[in-house]
Amino acid sequence: MKREDMDLWVLMLLCLTAVSSCWAGCVEVESETEAVVGHEFKIRCISCKKRGETKAITFVEWFFRTKDEDAFSLIYLYQKDAPDIKDERYDGRILWSGSNHTEDLQDVSIQITNVTMEDAGEYMCKVNRTLEFQNHYYNVNVSKFIQVTVVPTANRDIASIVSEIMMYVLIVVLTIWLVVEMIYCYKKIAAAGEETVPENASDYLAITTETKDNCLGVQAQE
């Protein structure tokens, strides 16, 4: 394989690797805020580490207060596959919806089942993270607040519908672009390989004739 072909393949592999790493990265996305009575509702809370290579042990506490309450109440505790519901109002109604099978939690979202009007209020997820360095540990606490409203029936506004449509359109466009780029690179590689091979029999005859003439010229000079 020619060096140019090798460079093209290496470039393609690097691009695919970069895309994969972007997909696998942590992104802090805001939570939805409108729940519907009788349905499930996911309260999203994501807290990304600043340095991905640093080991960490994380646990999360979820708090809740209604609009009539001044203080938050602890309703849920989670640490490495160990959920613990702390408030009887949520017995059997809170499900873990975050990272699994790891102590390094970054997605600490929960899901409330069978939503009621009493679930409206302000939620707080408190992320307690211990970073492990070579010679010491460092504790980091991050708190995020989500104001949740509860409605009797679903009410999707035009903005959310348009944004969802645009998201799917963007996914389709990016997929088509990636396929086109791969086809283009494949054709470039194939064309580069064909340049070293004569296209038909006339090219072989031309090369043979030229070689013969050169040989006759050399003999005449001798």
Side-chain angles (χ1 to χ4, degrees):
M1 184 179 288
K2 296 173 64 176
R3 182 175 179 82
E4 292 80 2
D5 299 344
M6 289 292 296
D7 292 340
L8 285 174
W9 281 111
V10 170
L11 181 60
M12 288 179 63
L13 290 175
L14 289 175
C15 291
L16 292 176
T17 302
V19 171
S20 298
S21 63
C22 290
W23 287 342
C26 176
V27 179
E28 297 190 5
V29 181
E30 296 296 327
S31 175
E32 298 290 336
T33 59
E34 186 178 274
V36 181
V37 171
H39 290 70
E40 297 180 346
F41 181 68
K42 180 176 181 178
I43 308 179
R44 183 179 290 108
C45 181
I46 301 176
S47 176
C48 301
K49 289 190 308 184
K50 301 303 180 182
R51 297 178 60 180
E53 72 279 4
T54 305
K55 294 179 60 177
I57 298 176
T58 307
F59 71 92
V60 60
E61 297 172 298
W62 276 91
F63 298 85
F64 171 70
R65 69 177 178 184
T66 65
K67 62 180 181 179
D68 299 325
E69 296 175 333
D70 296 328
F72 282 96
S73 300
L74 178 63
I75 62 173
Y76 187 74
L77 173 66
Y78 186 92
Q79 181 174 6
K80 193 186 178 183
D81 305 329
D84 186 7
I85 297 176
K86 297 292 188 179
D87 192 316
E88 62 181 8
R89 293 175 296 178
Y90 292 92
D91 282 343
R93 295 204 304 124
I94 292 184
L95 301 176
W96 179 250
S97 187
S99 305
N100 291 306
H101 311 300
T102 178
E103 291 183 331
D104 187 6
L105 304 174
Q106 298 189 66
D107 185 350
V108 295
S109 306
I110 60 174
Q111 185 166 301
I112 299 177
T113 63
N114 192 21
V115 172
T116 66
M117 296 299 295
E118 287 71 28
D119 294 327
E122 187 173 20
Y123 291 81
M124 176 178 66
C125 69
K126 184 178 181 181
V127 182
N128 304 272
R129 178 175 291 127
T130 300
L131 301 174
E132 181 180 341
F133 295 96
Q134 186 173 0
N135 298 319
H136 67 285
Y137 295 90
Y138 184 76
N139 294 322
V140 178
N141 295 323
V142 177
S143 296
K144 295 192 174 185
F145 300 87
I146 304 98
Q147 188 73 39
V148 175
T149 58
V150 179
V151 296
T153 57
N155 181 24
R156 297 188 62 188
D157 56 8
I158 297 178
S160 65
I161 297 175
V162 172
S163 63
E164 184 173 346
I165 294 174
M166 291 301 296
M167 178 186 69
Y168 286 115
V169 170
L170 181 61
I171 292 174
V172 172
V173 171
L174 290 176
T175 302
I176 295 174
W177 175 81
L178 180 60
V179 171
V180 170
E181 285 293 319
M182 294 183 67
I183 294 174
Y184 172 77
C185 291
Y186 175 78
K187 289 184 177 180
K188 291 284 289 185
I189 293 171
E194 292 175 356
E195 288 179 357
T196 59
V197 181
E199 293 182 355
N200 48 50
S202 61
D203 294 333
Y204 284 104
L205 293 175
I207 294 174
T208 304
T209 304
E210 182 180 355
T211 304
K212 182 177 180 180
D213 293 341
N214 291 338
C215 292
L216 292 175
V218 172
Q219 292 178 357
Q221 291 178 0
E222 293 179 351

